[in-house]
Amino acid sequence: MRFAFGDIIVDVEQVKITKKGEHLECEPRVFELLLFFCQRPLEAISREELVNTVWQGRIVSDAAVNRAIGELRKLIEDTPSSPQWIKTVSKVGYRFTVSPTQEDAETNSENTTDSFAENPSLLLDNNGHKESRTETQAIAINPKRKNIAVLLLISISFLTLTLVALWGTFPIVKQTKPLAKHQLQVIQRKPLTSITGSAFNPAYHQANQQLVYLYRASSDDYAQVHLQINNGARSALTQDSFYYTDVVFGSGNLVYASRLNNLQDRHCEMVQIDTVSQQVTSLFKCGINVVTQLAFDSHKQRLLYQSRPSISEPYSIHAWQIDTGRKQQITHPKQFGNNLGDYTFSLSRDNRYLSVIEYDADNKDTMKLIDLGDNQLLQTHPFIDDVFGLMWRSDTELLASNSDGLFIFDITKQQLTPIEHSDQFARLAAGKNDQAILTERSQIRMNIVSYPITVEATSVEEVSVEEARADSASLNNTVVKTDTITPLTASSGINQTPVLGNQSNIMAFISDRSGERNIYIKDGKSTLIQTAFKGEIKHISAMAWTHNDKYLIASINSQLFRYSINDQRWQAIAESFAQVHHVAASENAILFSAEIDNKWNIWQLPIDAQGNINQDTASQLTTKGGYSVQADNQTLYFSKFNHPGLFQLNLNVSTENLNDEVAEKVLIDDFPIAAWRHWQLKGDYIYYLLGKEYLSLNLTNNEIKPLHHFSGRAPSDCNLAVQRNFLACDRIELSQSNIWQLTLSH
């Protein structure tokens, strides 16, 4: 069977599209989409129907549908921006504008070739057919000019396979560019695990034909170490109260793993596990606030791992000698600002060399090649940014993955070449043979919900749980469900970082529902505004509403911007500051933290009654450090980049006396550095999240009261409504992944 319209022929049997006699390469999903349109011509088809039919009911984001439609238009339209064949139907979906003719296919046409022979991967998906991956923990996804708090979130997201974050886009389908036949390509995809929950961080032992990986049944569970033998039988090697972060095979029946005591304190410990007896032996402490990757050097019988002295210092690679317990630092990353340092690495197959990716704030990240005989640096080379996976394919070739796809690096030529542009590649590990690699494919869905709270009697009138739920429901304009959680967003993608207004429940949040990360605004009437930021949004560090809710302030790509509700446009402000992180607003000023000379401090820009800003009047408020900030007219409240605690500073003290210890005081001495975004000032109270408890601190008498306990995983971000009667928080609704083996061939 063939469908024909215009100069295009869709051959069903040969899974082939030709235009003007030329064969068009495309993804299987794009072909299925076009075939569905041909079978349903001239109808207005909803996105829901497309998902149910073309995606067979799988959970996919709006971004996935947008991208597939975009790729199909690029394929068949002469002018994709002004499509002839596939029209958008407002508030419905899409319509195929032509009724194609149907004819029998010519099975032996001289001008056709077998698509499956050209691209065997067309046959593969979750059930043996090609299927694209939803976003994994790399989620996330480390943007350039990272700050230490963002990096910590990315690390925790890496652990929980959730927020990569926080800082990346989460499309299910991403553009795949066809490669020439002589180039290395993925020819087969096969799942090695098929379980409910999340399986990640795989390691395979070719001699024993065993697979170890981390597994958790839900996003609320702690990851444990599992073993799977060649026949598919699997067992849990650990079942304890620790959160395991990586695992690798050692000698004989031993595996080595890193684990955290919990996700709040994050005390790291290295352990040895006997796969036969399942005995777990503690080896040594590997740091605090450390999420480490492991490798086993079989030649020298030692473990390689990442570590750092503190959360505000860069990672470096260390070695621990198994027989003697001797520790050695192997790499020495650059020491500047909030540098992440050596954030991923791979040991060569002969254990002679170490390839390391070092973060660079202003340029491409750097690949460093190190001789492990004397720990000497052999070469450096600009690399891809935000590497998820890194592994040696041969003695002279490295494979690397990030959100853009899979790449190969020739060490001798110092040449980096893409293999496949796709979002199907996460962390990489050696597979069952030299042509196979392991990676993870996962799905994640996150939305914003409200949790009602009953506040203590303050200047704000006390409200009931029912009133709190009604207030949050009015923001969503939906009927409140019988449980205590009310949805504020409903999307199959990633919706996160809610920020509520100061005078109303207007809400700004970050979402990838359009296919790219963007900032959305939703008012109490459920009007949804997609803010039109000019240029690519690489990362968003923080957002805040001005006192009157007329402007949204945001740190985008480490620079400061203001969005006007009335004009619906963005404006760059404080343009002389290139490293801006946290933002806030008081009644008469915009507050922000900025890094200058490798020091983070708090600055302010005055705002007049009309909302005008004098960009030449930025003034420095702190000199001894400042990272996240809130303020009233008299007092500045802030956290610091490299010191725990929440601080207060009397703004009535002159700048000449800023170094006076009386001016700056510690308000909460055990406030974690990593909690910089988990607090806010409202009236005479500071509200903050500590572990799974949301607390209030009365500034008049220093009394601390619990407001809400999160029974499951604590949210990444919460924001308290102006009435102080409900919390808007992000909530993971779906998080699952499995281990896949990919076969590469020329």
Side-chain angles (χ1 to χ4, degrees):
M1 172 68 67
R2 297 197 306 185
F3 293 94
F5 59 96
D7 51 11
I8 297 170
I9 296 175
V10 182
D11 193 318
V12 180
E13 280 78 11
Q14 297 194 46
V15 193
K16 179 180 178 181
I17 305 172
T18 57
K19 182 177 182 180
K20 298 179 181 178
E22 295 185 4
H23 181 197
L24 304 181
E25 296 281 357
C26 72
E27 295 183 23
R29 185 71 67 209
V30 174
F31 181 87
E32 293 171 14
L33 185 61
L34 178 55
L35 179 59
F36 181 69
F37 278 132
C38 290
Q39 294 168 338
R40 297 280 298 277
L42 307 177
E43 295 183 31
I45 300 172
S46 68
R47 291 171 178 269
E48 181 179 4
E49 188 172 1
L50 288 176
V51 170
N52 289 335
T53 306
V54 180
W55 278 267
Q56 299 176 354
R58 294 185 179 93
I59 298 174
V60 298
S61 65
D62 293 344
V65 179
N66 292 344
R67 287 182 179 274
I69 292 291
E71 290 305 307
L72 181 55
R73 282 172 170 166
K74 291 177 185 178
L75 199 69
I76 66 174
E77 301 281 4
D78 293 331
T79 308
S81 59
S82 180
Q84 173 187 3
W85 306 118
I86 303 173
K87 296 284 189 180
T88 300
V89 181
S90 179
K91 299 182 180 180
V92 178
Y94 303 96
R95 183 170 64 90
F96 194 50
T97 62
V98 64
S99 182
T101 60
Q102 299 183 31
E103 56 188 57
D104 293 333
E106 297 178 13
T107 57
N108 297 313
S109 172
E110 296 178 358
N111 296 323
T112 62
T113 57
D114 190 341
S115 297
F116 293 119
E118 290 184 358
N119 188 1
S121 66
L122 290 175
L123 295 171
L124 307 171
D125 74 4
N126 282 337
N127 302 310
H129 301 287
K130 184 177 183 293
E131 173 64 24
S132 57
R133 179 185 65 86
T134 54
E135 188 52 47
T136 71
Q137 70 278 9
I139 51 24
I141 326 236
N142 310 322
K144 297 306 292 177
R145 295 180 179 172
K146 308 173 183 80
N147 50 70
I148 197 67
V150 173
L151 299 176
L152 178 64
L153 176 60
I154 292 170
S155 297
I156 297 303
S157 297
F158 183 86
L159 289 178
T160 59
L161 285 175
T162 59
L163 300 180
V164 135
L166 182 62
W167 312 114
T169 56
F170 298 82
I172 290 184
V173 177
K174 208 169 186 178
Q175 179 179 2
T176 300
K177 298 180 180 179
L179 299 171
K181 291 182 180 180
H182 67 276
Q183 292 178 295
L184 192 67
Q185 59 183 312
V186 179
I187 63 168
Q188 189 179 52
R189 291 171 166 86
K190 176 184 178 182
L192 295 188
T193 65
S194 181
I195 52 181
T196 302
S198 296
F200 57 104
N201 285 18
Y204 189 78
H205 196 296
Q206 290 188 359
N208 296 340
Q209 295 186 331
Q210 293 179 337
L211 174 72
V212 288
Y213 55 89
L214 304 182
Y215 172 76
R216 59 192 178 94
S218 73
S219 60
D220 294 334
D221 294 326
Y222 277 13
Q224 299 291 308
V225 180
H226 279 225
L227 173 71
Q228 180 171 301
I229 58 179
N230 196 43
N231 64 7
R234 65 186 181 97
S235 60
L237 295 182
T238 63
Q239 299 182 70
D240 52 40
S241 60
F242 293 91
Y243 192 114
Y244 287 81
T245 60
D246 203 11
V247 60
V248 65
F249 278 103
S251 299
N253 297 322
L254 300 178
V255 299
Y256 296 92
S258 55
R259 65 186 187 183
L260 303 177
N261 63 327
N262 56 56
L263 294 180
Q264 286 75 48
D265 300 328
R266 294 184 297 279
H267 293 175
C268 178
E269 179 184 32
M270 210 72 68
V271 298
Q272 173 185 284
I273 307 171
D274 189 309
T275 59
V276 177
S277 66
Q278 298 187 5
Q279 180 179 353
V280 180
T281 305
S282 177
L283 298 178
F284 62 94
K285 304 298 182 182
C286 39
I288 300 176
N289 293 311
V290 170
V291 179
T292 185
Q293 176 189 346
L294 301 181
F296 179 70
D297 182 349
S298 59
H299 178 67
K300 294 184 178 181
Q301 290 294 300
R302 60 180 181 171
L303 280 176
L304 303 180
Y305 63 100
Q306 296 159 291
S307 189
R308 58 183 176 185
S310 71
I311 192 174
S312 58
E313 298 183 60
Y315 277 105
S316 56
I317 312 302
H318 296 247
W320 184 81
Q321 196 67 41
I322 290 176
D323 53 356
T324 65
R326 176 176 178 261
K327 292 182 179 180
Q328 180 186 19
Q329 183 172 341
I330 296 176
T331 67
H332 299 272
K334 298 174 184 176
Q335 302 284 331
F336 64 87
N338 53 1
N339 178 28
L340 180 60
D342 298 330
Y343 66 90
T344 192
F345 67 95
S346 181
L347 179 65
S348 66
R349 296 183 176 188
D350 58 8
N351 294 176
R352 294 177 57 191
Y353 302 105
L354 192 70
S355 57
V356 180
I357 307 300
E358 182 176 4
Y359 164 74
D360 193 313
D362 302 314
N363 304 293
K364 290 290 185 181
D365 291 348
T366 301
M367 194 284 292
K368 302 186 296 188
L369 184 64
I370 297 168
D371 188 331
L372 289 178
D374 53 14
N375 292 345
Q376 292 299 306
L377 183 64
L378 299 179
Q379 66 174 246
T380 62
H381 192 273
F383 212 64
I384 55 175
D385 290 332
D386 318 325
V387 175
F388 302 159
L390 186 71
M391 64 166 285
W392 292 74
R393 181 173 183 266
S394 68
D395 293 339
T396 60
E397 292 177 323
L398 284 165
L399 294 174
S401 63
N402 68 0
S403 59
D404 293 326
L406 183 66
F407 299 79
I408 188 166
F409 180 74
D410 189 308
I411 294 174
T412 57
K413 299 178 181 178
Q414 293 197 353
Q415 181 178 354
L416 184 70
T417 307
I419 295 175
E420 182 176 311
H421 289 278
S422 168
D423 68 346
Q424 297 191 31
F425 307 98
R427 181 162 168 171
L428 304 176
K432 294 184 176 182
N433 53 59
D434 291 344
Q435 286 73 45
I437 61 174
L438 305 183
T439 190
E440 303 137 16
R441 294 171 61 180
S442 66
Q443 294 178 321
I444 184 169
R445 183 175 69 243
M446 179 185 291
N447 273 294
I448 298 170
V449 302
S450 72
Y451 296 89
I453 60 174
T454 303
V455 300
E456 67 277 12
T458 66
S459 57
V460 177
E461 181 181 355
E462 187 169 346
V463 296
S464 66
V465 171
E466 288 73 19
E467 290 172 311
R469 293 172 63 196
D471 256 343
S472 61
S474 68
L475 176 61
N476 195 40
N477 197 26
T478 60
V479 176
V480 179
K481 296 182 179 180
T482 56
D483 57 20
T484 58
I485 297 176
T486 302
L488 300 182
T489 66
S491 172
S492 56
I494 303 297
N495 303 271
Q496 60 188 124
T497 319
V499 177
L500 296 168
N502 297 302
Q503 304 296 326
S504 67
N505 284 334
I506 189 171
M507 182 176 71
F509 63 97
I510 303 169
S511 177
D512 68 344
R513 61 181 61 200
S514 65
E516 302 291 340
R517 183 191 295 106
N518 211 329
I519 296 174
Y520 289 78
I521 295 174
K522 190 175 187 180
D523 63 20
K525 298 178 181 179
S526 293
T527 301
L528 187 64
I529 301 171
Q530 177 181 342
T531 66
F533 184 82
K534 293 183 178 179
E536 179 188 3
I537 296 179
K538 297 180 180 179
H539 58 97
I540 303 166
S541 299
M543 300 184 295
W545 289 100
T546 56
H547 181 71
N548 56 14
D549 293 348
K550 291 183 178 180
Y551 297 95
L552 180 69
I553 312 299
S555 171
I556 303 175
N557 302 339
S558 298
Q559 293 187 304
L560 199 60
F561 292 88
R562 183 176 72 167
Y563 181 81
S564 170
I565 292 294
N566 292 332
D567 298 338
Q568 294 194 359
R569 66 183 183 90
W570 288 99
Q571 173 193 6
I573 57 179
E575 296 182 71
S576 60
F577 292 86
Q579 291 283 8
V580 175
H581 179 224
H582 195 263
V583 297
S586 63
E587 188 171 353
N588 52 17
I590 293 173
L591 308 166
F592 61 95
S593 59
E595 183 187 25
I596 297 178
D597 297 329
N598 294 331
K599 298 177 182 178
W600 287 96
N601 277 293
I602 306 300
W603 297 70
Q604 75 169 355
L605 277 173
I607 307 174
D608 64 22
Q610 288 72 41
N612 299 317
I613 300 174
N614 187 342
Q615 305 224 26
D616 299 325
T617 59
S619 58
Q620 187 172 348
L621 297 181
T622 66
T623 59
K624 297 186 295 181
Y627 204 51
S628 61
V629 59
Q630 302 275 305
D632 55 28
N633 291 330
Q634 291 81 32
T635 309
L636 189 75
Y637 303 92
F638 58 98
S639 68
K640 293 190 176 183
F641 171 71
N642 53 359
H643 293 288
L646 194 64
F647 301 83
Q648 65 178 21
L649 179 68
N650 188 344
L651 293 177
N652 293 324
V653 177
S654 64
T655 54
E656 290 79 7
N657 296 325
L658 278 179
N659 291 323
D660 186 352
E661 293 296 331
V662 177
E664 180 181 295
K665 296 181 180 180
V666 179
L667 191 62
I668 305 175
D669 56 5
D670 60 346
F671 192 80
I673 295 175
W676 59 268
R677 69 186 182 280
H678 290 317
W679 67 282
Q680 61 189 121
L681 172 70
K682 284 190 178 296
D684 294 330
Y685 288 80
I686 285 179
Y687 300 90
Y688 62 104
L689 179 67
L690 192 62
K692 294 185 178 184
E693 298 289 339
Y694 202 84
L695 308 170
S696 70
L697 169 66
N698 189 325
L699 295 173
T700 60
N701 58 18
N702 292 326
E703 182 182 12
I704 296 176
K705 288 186 177 181
L707 295 183
H708 187 83
H709 174 80
F710 294 98
S711 57
R713 186 194 72 91
S716 298
D717 285 285
C718 278
N719 201 251
L720 185 64
V722 60
Q723 301 91 348
R724 309 183 211 181
N725 56 351
F726 73 89
L727 286 166
C729 306
D730 53 37
R731 182 171 180 264
I732 295 175
E733 298 175 338
L734 173 70
S735 177
Q736 63 182 36
S737 66
N738 274 290
I739 310 299
W740 282 65
Q741 179 170 277
L742 312 180
T743 302
L744 303 179
S745 179
H746 288 282

